[in-house]
Amino acid sequence: MMRSRTMLLLLSAMSLAPLACAQTAGTPATTAGKAPAAAEEPAAAEEPAVVKTLRSQGVEFMGTFETPVGLTGYAGVAGQRPLGVYVSKDGEYAVVGTLVNAKGEDVSAAKLKELVSEPMGQQAWAKVEASHWVRDGKADAPRIIYSFSDPNCPYCNRFWEAAQPWVAAGKVQIRQILVGVIREDSANKAAAILGAASPEQALIQNERDFAKGGIKPLATVPAAVQAKLRANEAAMLDLGFQGTPGIIFKDADGSVQMRSGMPQGDDMQTVLGPR
């Protein structure tokens, strides 16, 4: 036991957004993917006691940095979210949160972005690029958006409808990463799309006919397609999404961002770009 009581604040894993479809009960859950290792990460034997305690309770650390107040900054991640941890010299105490100066500026934001957000974003982007997706939109559209989608998800369909002006204008291509997690025939419908002569046309058919039941599901899911769907679902869960749609895109600065559920209000333009 540590002699001193530490100040502990852990961020929970990404929760399911209101405008998203949850997995069916009985779909196995997994923990979010591990953050990529960083060269600056200290060896466990050299870590302060409070850092070891936080690590044992689920926080991953990806590097250290100096602060202007004499505390050592630890760049951490909890629940796929960057986390600043500021450790006292004796290693017995930590303040978890945002370090601001007299102007109200987050003095550690740049370091957290460098050590946590950017490596995690690159890892997430590589994961969705390697997934099994179906393109909606022109191949040369300048903005690429990935969306984990279930053929039976009404919020996925609403996002598809809302994005059509951008897609039709050639500004956006949405790469739908199909999963089958909502209903018993979700995987069968996803298989009908992935196994079609033109998956792109089958995808559009499902979206346009969604109110009428969507695409006709296959009677059985071929083993090869089932493997693709399982790989897509594993990627979805590994990135912290617990329902659909799970959206990944690059903002105007090129930083990778995620949205769990359908974007609302002005956030739609943040996701899709200028109309």
Side-chain angles (χ1 to χ4, degrees):
M1 293 287 294
M2 292 179 56
R3 293 171 300 171
S4 303
R5 181 175 298 177
T6 62
M7 179 178 180
L8 176 61
L9 174 63
L10 294 181
L11 296 180
S12 62
M14 186 181 297
S15 60
L16 180 64
L19 298 183
C21 297
Q23 299 178 140
T24 53
T27 301
T30 67
T31 56
K34 292 185 178 180
E40 295 182 41
E41 186 174 2
E46 301 173 358
E47 288 181 341
V50 66
V51 172
K52 291 181 180 179
T53 297
L54 292 174
R55 186 186 292 279
S56 72
Q57 297 190 16
V59 179
E60 296 183 64
F61 292 99
M62 300 171 62
T64 62
F65 55 93
E66 297 301 316
T67 71
V69 293
L71 300 176
T72 299
Y74 279 74
V77 57
Q80 294 285 317
R81 299 186 183 214
L83 186 68
V85 178
Y86 306 96
V87 179
S88 61
K89 290 183 178 180
D90 62 8
E92 295 291 318
Y93 296 89
V95 178
V96 183
T98 304
L99 184 65
V100 298
N101 59 21
K103 298 179 181 179
E105 301 167 333
D106 183 349
V107 297
S108 302
K111 273 297 180 182
L112 287 177
K113 181 178 181 181
E114 173 191 343
L115 297 175
V116 182
S117 300
E118 290 183 349
M120 288 183 66
Q122 292 169 3
Q123 183 187 61
W125 196 256
K127 188 179 293 291
V128 293
E129 279 188 319
S131 66
H132 306 284
W133 45 267
V134 179
R135 190 187 75 242
D136 178 26
K138 296 181 179 179
D140 61 351
R143 193 177 189 92
I144 298 173
I145 297 170
Y146 289 91
S147 178
F148 289 96
S149 304
D150 186 296
N152 284 318
C153 173
Y155 300 113
C156 299
N157 180 249
R158 291 183 190 178
F159 177 60
W160 178 83
E161 289 182 336
Q164 286 311 292
W166 283 265
V167 172
K171 296 181 177 180
V172 168
Q173 59 165 295
I174 299 178
R175 297 178 175 179
Q176 291 207 25
I177 307 171
L178 295 177
V179 296
V181 297
I182 296 176
R183 298 178 185 171
E184 291 184 1
D185 68 345
S186 288
N188 301 70
K189 287 186 176 181
I193 295 171
L194 291 174
S198 172
E200 292 81 8
Q201 290 301 315
L203 174 69
I204 293 173
Q205 177 190 341
N206 183 70
E207 301 296 351
R208 287 178 175 171
D209 297 343
F210 187 84
K212 301 176 183 179
I215 196 168
K216 182 179 179 181
L218 293 184
T220 59
V221 180
V225 176
Q226 190 175 65
K228 291 180 179 180
L229 293 177
R230 285 178 176 172
N232 283 352
E233 183 181 350
M236 180 180 79
L237 295 173
D238 194 45
L239 291 174
F241 295 114
Q242 299 176 25
T244 54
I247 300 167
I248 300 180
F249 66 100
K250 291 184 179 180
D251 62 20
D253 297 327
S255 299
V256 176
Q257 292 198 35
M258 301 186 188
R259 296 291 188 273
S260 184
M262 180 175 174
Q264 297 297 294
D266 293 340
D267 194 42
M268 186 67 74
Q269 188 159 317
T270 301
V271 174
L272 296 171
R275 188 163 178 174

